[in-house]
């Protein structure tokens, strides 16, 4: 995020504005994703791809797929959650796999993608609940829904 005064930037507050180039960042039909829940599959308008989020008080730089992949080189990135997390995974996969210089390979699980040039995996795992809450007595309960992990009582 670029701004003149870091304290004035709130990326959660802003508006959707038309992109300057007014073209989508990717063509959904070219995305390497197995999701059949996308807007193009459902026949919905793709005009949302021509919009950009403009936070109040700062500028977001344009997404650079190669720079992103360099940042996660030799790492694993996991999206864990429900359909909202899957939508974020699918969007990132579209941004990355639509780039002509990024090679991606589906590795077994349809929601596990390997990027050999970067030795990186990006994965989505469906987990119905990820919660932590405080009890009135000051103790807390954590449940994760992650197989093999026991909840704290």
């Amino acid at each position: 995020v670029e701004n003149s005064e870091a304290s004035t930037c709130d990326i959660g507050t802003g508006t959707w504005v038309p992109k300057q180039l007014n073209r989508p960042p990717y063509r959904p039909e070219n995305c390497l994703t197995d999701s059949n829940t996308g807007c193009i599959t459902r026949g919905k308008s793709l005009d949302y791809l021509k919009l950009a989020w403009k936070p109040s008080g700062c500028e977001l730089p344009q997404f650079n797929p190669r720079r992103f992949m360099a940042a996660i080189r030799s790492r694993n990135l996991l999206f864990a959650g429900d359909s909202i997390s899957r939508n974020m995974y699918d969007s990132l996969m579209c941004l990355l796999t639509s780039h002509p210089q990024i090679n991606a390979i589906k590795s077994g699980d349809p929601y596990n993608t390997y990027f050999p040039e970067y030795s990186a995996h990006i994965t989505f795992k469906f987990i119905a609940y990820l919660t932590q809450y405080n009890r009135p007595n000051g103790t807390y309960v954590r449940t994760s829904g992650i197989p093999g992990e026991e909840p704290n009582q």
Side-chain angles (χ1 to χ4, degrees), residues 105-119:
I105 301 168
K106 287 290 183 185
S107 49
D109 181 340
Y111 290 109
N112 184 15
T113 307
Y114 178 62
F115 298 85
E117 179 184 346
Y118 299 93
S119 298

Side-chain angles (χ1 to χ4, degrees), residues 64-92:
N64 181 322
R66 291 181 57 86
R67 188 174 176 189
F68 177 86
M69 290 307 302
I72 67 163
R73 182 181 301 279
S74 300
R75 292 186 171 95
N76 297 320
L77 177 62
L78 173 66
F79 287 82
D82 57 12
S83 61
I84 302 294
S85 297
R86 190 189 67 224
N87 289 343
M88 289 186 282
Y89 167 85
D90 286 343
S91 292
L92 181 59

Side-chain angles (χ1 to χ4, degrees), residues 17-80:
V17 297
K19 289 185 180 177
Q20 291 183 6
L21 296 177
N22 199 24
R23 63 179 168 83
Y26 55 81
R27 292 178 45 202
E29 64 271 17
N30 293 339
C31 295
L32 180 63
T33 179
D34 289 335
S35 177
N36 62 0
T37 59
C39 291
I40 198 165
T41 305
R42 303 280 184 224
K44 295 183 179 181
S45 169
L46 297 178
D47 288 343
Y48 72 93
L49 291 172
K50 297 176 184 175
L51 297 174
W53 181 250
K54 169 73 172 101
S56 300
C58 56
E59 294 291 325
L60 287 176
Q62 183 175 357
F63 181 76
N64 181 322
R66 291 181 57 86
R67 188 174 176 189
F68 177 86
M69 290 307 302
I72 67 163
R73 182 181 301 279
S74 300
R75 292 186 171 95
N76 297 320
L77 177 62
L78 173 66
F79 287 82

